[in-house]
């Protein structure tokens, strides 16, 4: 399992290269919390890490994984170009329901 850290590091470095190449950056303005140009979308490493974990464990939580990928997709689109509130909230709510289903939360609270 120790090989996963260098793989994730290399994936993140590759993404930084892609972000620089295609100008996936955030330029600071007066309301920004940062003072320098910052790459956007670096959080893509988290779903990549989950996919590696899921592949190693045999995809035991397929609906959770689908929800995570849905959130990653809509968030990455939002980094590229602003996505309206309704699609973002809807995709997050659907992902939450998928996670609840896969983790058995809905079975414990049938009144939902």
């Amino acid at each position: 399992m120790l090989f996963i850290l260098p793989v994730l590091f290399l994936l993140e470095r590759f993404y930084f290269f892609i972000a620089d190449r295609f100008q996936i950056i955030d330029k600071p303005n007066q309301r920004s919390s940062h003072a320098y140009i910052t790459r956007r979308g670096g959080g893509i490493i988290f779903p990549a890490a989950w996919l590696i974990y899921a592949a190693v464990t045999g995809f035991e939580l397929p609906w959770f994984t689908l929800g995570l990928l849905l959130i990653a997709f809509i968030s990455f689109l939002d980094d590229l170009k602003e996505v309206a509130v309704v699609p973002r909230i809807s995709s997050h709510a659907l992902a939450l329901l998928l996670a609840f289903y896969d983790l058995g939360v809905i079975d414990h609270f049938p009144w939902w």
Side-chain angles (χ1 to χ4, degrees):
M1 285 303 223
L2 196 55
F3 74 93
I4 292 175
L5 287 176
V7 168
L8 290 174
F9 179 76
L10 290 174
L11 282 173
E12 188 73 8
R13 295 300 304 164
F14 177 70
Y15 174 74
F16 286 166
F17 171 76
I18 297 295
D20 288 340
R21 175 101 167 107
F22 293 102
Q23 296 293 305
I24 307 172
I25 57 174
D26 190 19
K27 295 180 182 175
N29 57 31
Q30 291 178 346
R31 294 178 46 201
S32 296
S33 61
H34 54 276
Y36 303 102
I37 292 176
T38 306
R39 292 179 197 101
R40 299 178 86 178
I44 197 73
I45 197 67
F46 296 108
W50 176 260
L51 285 175
I52 292 171
Y53 171 78
V56 169
T57 60
F59 289 98
E60 293 175 356
L61 299 170
W63 297 111
F64 179 87
T65 302
L66 182 63
L68 178 73
L69 292 177
L70 178 62
I71 289 175
F73 176 73
I74 200 76
S75 298
F76 190 69
L77 280 180
D78 191 47
D79 282 343
L80 295 177
K81 182 181 178 186
E82 189 170 336
V83 176
V85 173
V86 173
R88 275 189 294 153
I89 294 294
S90 300
S91 63
H92 282 79
L94 177 60
L96 182 66
L97 287 174
L98 289 170
F100 279 179
Y101 175 75
D102 218 3
L103 297 173
V105 173
I106 293 175
D107 295 336
H108 292 282
F109 299 103
W111 48 268
W112 288 37

